[in-house]
Amino acid sequence: MSIEKQLEQMTLREKIGQLFTIGFPSRWPSEEFVQMVKEYKVGNVILFSHNVGSREELGKLNSYLIQLIERETGHIPFITIDEEGGVVSRLPKDMAVLPSAMAQAHCKERIEEGSRIVGEELKALGINFNLAPVLDINTNRKNPVIGIRSFGENADTVTECAKCAVRGYTKAGILCSGKHFPGHGDTDTDSHLALPLLKKSMEELEKEELKPFEDLIRAGIPAITISHMLVPAMTGENIPCTMSYEAVTGYLREKMCYKGLIISDCMEMDAIKKFFGTATGCVEAVKAGVELLFISHTASIAKEAMNAVEKAVLDGSVQIETVDKAVQHILEIKEALGSTTVEIEKAGTEPQKQFMQEFLEEALEKQNTGKFALGEMPLFISSVPTGFSRVSEVVFEGWSFSKEMQETFGGMAELFDSRDGKSRIRELCQKAEDATAVVLATCNANLDPWQQELLAEIPGYNSHVAQIALNSPYDLEYGKQISFQMALYEYSRRAVEGVKKYFKK
């Protein structure tokens, strides 16, 4: 049966269900979620770390979701995930995971193959849509939500790397989405928590932020994610791009001639929920031309939003033609994508994991630092990660850089929590006096004045100091007086393991 004929036979609720991608807060779908699929005909799912156990559990989960949604809606679902690599990874811990994008940019020749590997892993586990790559240019070093998720600070680097990533995902046979249109890189606000404002003129946007999107559209990127940002030069008013017809249809669809799928960032983020309400935001996003709406966590909010869109169609404030056009586009993409068969054994193989470890270690080697001598009693200090953004899901459970290094090289291990302030800095400085060397590992010090103060104070108590930037390389600017510096681009066991070879007793 043709898609046009299928569309004619669908109820309004079935159509609206295709427009939504819903999440749930557990390893297995709750009865509430299952009932939503049955009653509201939800057509798509988003997964987070809290949904992911072992690869066997994830494969079993996705097999169930695919069968449930296909049975209830008559169409395969998009099973989506944010698998950017590095600090934004949802895959099980025993899988092959890409380095953070900024680290990937050091080894551009590996990006396509690395993305293909991740795409094949996702597909083998039943996931057919990766919400990556990031197309934002990280021009604001105080940006709390993009940072190392960006390939770099200029349009050419971002474009070149993103094209490689898209080729890799395409070869693996999955969808991917470039984000966050029209560009989240020059902001100092996390849209998970507030509503960012970008005051640039259209001329400035077209010279910088929009260039990667323009180039990736020409390269055939299959989907683009709209950001919850105020960009008055594009929208003509103070509403988020997600809710703006001028941004979504007027600029992206018509001026940039984009023919792929247009999707929203999560409509539960505070940029929408707090200032407009998720339900209102979803209605306006549909009017604007967004085709796939994401509500990532709360079933009651998803129900409210779906009811609001249905009511808006029935009262004429949303045209049924707008819904039909979006649903037809979604079904065409699903038909071309085809069904997904879960093949767990093809995910997380040793060659896949080895490639990614080599990818990360090669990115570290590009910094050409030599080796740092620790002596008999080194002091290892690692900063407790500070929560500037909700996007990463790092859980440490008692493990730390300093403890790991102490176990390998001996000496002393200390943690620095910025909430302890000056008194803790004094304690650590006194310990530094008695150490043969100090290795100070910072985490987002570029956004944390207390870590900056620690970096300034420690060299006055011990002249033999190394700095490791666990996350953002911008931390290194605050330790310029320190001769040995390296950036890991992610605070992870594999990155710490990779940096050990640069130290000696």
Side-chain angles (χ1 to χ4, degrees):
M1 188 188 302
S2 70
I3 289 172
E4 291 80 2
K5 192 69 175 175
Q6 293 175 51
L7 196 61
E8 288 176 11
Q9 296 181 4
M10 292 172 74
T11 66
L12 177 56
R13 180 156 286 192
E14 287 172 331
K15 292 175 181 178
I16 291 171
Q18 288 297 317
L19 304 182
F20 280 82
T21 302
I22 308 299
F24 52 92
S26 52
R27 289 282 176 88
W28 193 257
S30 64
E31 186 58 34
E32 184 179 28
F33 177 86
V34 174
Q35 283 304 120
M36 274 198 65
V37 173
K38 291 179 177 180
E39 183 181 351
Y40 285 85
K41 305 303 177 186
V42 173
N44 313 286
V45 180
I46 181 168
L47 301 175
F48 288 88
S49 294
H50 55 248
N51 304 121
V52 176
S54 66
R55 61 177 186 166
E56 289 76 17
E57 289 171 322
L58 183 55
K60 183 179 178 182
L61 169 65
N62 288 330
S63 291
Y64 173 77
L65 290 170
I66 292 166
Q67 291 171 19
L68 170 69
I69 292 174
E70 192 165 6
R71 183 180 69 240
E72 294 297 329
T73 70
H75 303 280
I76 65 164
F78 292 138
I79 306 289
T80 70
I81 199 165
D82 293 282
E83 188 54 42
E84 299 170 16
V87 295
V88 180
S89 174
R90 321 299 194 203
L91 282 171
K93 302 306 178 190
D94 60 346
M95 303 286 287
V97 174
L98 285 161
S100 293
M102 201 172 282
Q104 292 179 44
H106 288 294
C107 309
K108 297 183 181 73
E109 67 282 359
R110 283 187 177 265
I111 294 174
E112 182 175 334
E113 178 66 7
S115 300
R116 185 191 64 79
I117 287 171
V118 167
E120 289 181 349
E121 286 188 299
L122 294 175
K123 189 174 182 180
L125 294 173
I127 298 164
N128 56 14
F129 197 157
N130 191 14
L131 304 173
V134 170
L135 302 187
D136 305 314
I137 309 165
N138 199 61
T139 49
N140 186 339
R141 294 189 170 198
K142 295 291 185 182
N143 193 318
V145 68
I146 303 302
I148 56 176
R149 298 170 63 202
S150 167
F151 289 111
E153 298 176 353
N154 67 77
D156 290 342
T157 296
V158 171
T159 296
E160 182 182 359
C161 294
K163 282 181 177 178
C164 294
V166 171
R167 285 198 299 269
Y169 296 131
T170 302
K171 283 183 178 179
I174 68 167
L175 298 175
C176 61
S177 184
K179 56 191 185 185
H180 309 80
F181 180 88
H184 210 318
D186 194 11
T187 64
D188 56 10
T189 303
D190 181 356
S191 49
H192 292 80
L193 306 171
L195 186 53
L197 170 64
L198 190 58
K199 294 181 179 179
K200 290 186 174 182
S201 68
M202 279 310 304
E203 183 180 7
E204 290 172 315
L205 291 169
E206 287 171 350
K207 282 183 177 178
E208 194 158 37
E209 276 80 2
L210 289 165
K211 282 188 67 62
F213 292 94
E214 182 181 357
D215 290 339
L216 268 293
I217 286 170
R218 283 199 294 264
I221 193 166
I224 286 178
T225 303
I226 309 296
S227 67
H228 306 319
M229 292 170 53
L230 299 176
V231 188
M234 179 174 284
T235 65
E237 54 187 326
N238 281 326
I239 62 170
C241 291
T242 334
M243 298 165 58
S244 168
Y245 183 90
E246 286 74 15
V248 177
T249 296
Y251 201 92
L252 180 57
R253 187 66 86 196
E254 295 176 354
K255 184 164 184 179
M256 298 185 83
C257 302
Y258 184 56
K259 292 180 170 54
L261 187 66
I262 298 178
I263 74 178
S264 79
D265 214 338
C266 176
M267 302 299 286
E268 274 192 87
M269 289 160 62
D270 280 350
I272 299 295
K273 183 172 71 173
K274 181 178 177 181
F275 295 94
F276 303 93
T278 297
T280 297
C282 286
V283 170
E284 295 303 314
V286 172
K287 288 182 187 177
V290 175
E291 297 167 303
L292 194 63
L293 300 159
F294 283 72
I295 298 180
S296 302
H297 306 290
T298 312
S300 60
I301 292 176
K303 288 178 185 177
E304 182 186 358
M306 297 175 83
N307 284 332
V309 172
E310 184 174 359
K311 181 177 180 296
V313 174
L314 293 173
D315 69 21
S317 54
V318 169
Q319 299 299 309
I320 187 61
E321 292 80 10
T322 301
V323 172
D324 284 349
K325 187 176 180 181
V327 174
Q328 181 170 341
H329 195 193
I330 288 167
L331 296 184
E332 287 170 350
I333 293 169
K334 287 185 175 183
E335 186 174 271
L337 192 61
S339 59
T340 301
T341 302
V342 174
E343 300 176 285
I344 295 168
E345 68 280 357
K346 293 185 177 180
T349 66
E350 287 306 315
Q352 290 170 337
K353 289 188 282 189
Q354 182 63 29
F355 178 91
M356 294 305 185
Q357 187 65 32
E358 291 171 359
F359 194 167
L360 178 60
E361 291 184 11
E362 187 176 331
L364 299 181
E365 287 171 8
K366 297 287 176 122
Q367 298 179 57
N368 295 319
T369 15
K371 290 204 172 189
F372 182 81
L374 296 168
E376 292 303 312
M377 187 54 65
L379 170 62
F380 300 103
I381 304 170
S382 51
S383 297
V384 175
T386 308
F388 292 102
S389 171
R390 289 182 187 167
V391 73
S392 63
E393 299 184 23
V394 179
V395 179
F396 291 90
E397 299 174 344
W399 176 85
S400 69
F401 171 90
S402 53
K403 287 182 180 179
E404 178 70 24
M405 295 294 279
Q406 181 192 41
E407 286 181 8
T408 303
F409 298 105
M412 301 173 281
E414 298 286 342
L415 292 176
F416 175 66
D417 190 328
S418 296
R419 291 171 295 186
D420 295 334
K422 250 185 205 311
S423 61
R424 183 61 173 149
I425 291 174
R426 283 197 296 270
E427 289 175 6
L428 293 173
C429 286
Q430 289 168 4
K431 288 179 181 291
E433 283 187 303
D434 299 324
T436 53
V438 178
V439 180
L440 176 52
T442 59
C443 190
N444 297 324
N446 64 314
L447 302 173
D448 182 3
W450 288 115
Q451 287 187 66
Q452 294 168 24
E453 184 169 333
L454 181 63
L455 280 166
E457 291 290 330
I458 285 287
Y461 291 83
N462 192 310
S463 60
H464 194 48
V465 181
Q467 181 191 358
I468 303 298
L470 296 170
N471 192 7
S472 170
Y474 303 139
D475 288 12
L476 302 180
E477 295 178 6
Y478 297 91
K480 288 180 179 176
Q481 74 278 30
I482 296 171
S483 58
F484 185 98
Q485 294 181 304
M486 286 191 74
L488 301 193
Y489 300 96
E490 60 182 72
Y491 193 173
S492 68
R493 290 179 185 273
R494 65 172 184 172
V496 174
E497 196 60 41
V499 82
K500 284 182 182 178
K501 66 182 179 183
Y502 297 95
F503 293 91
K504 61 182 180 179
K505 290 293 287 184

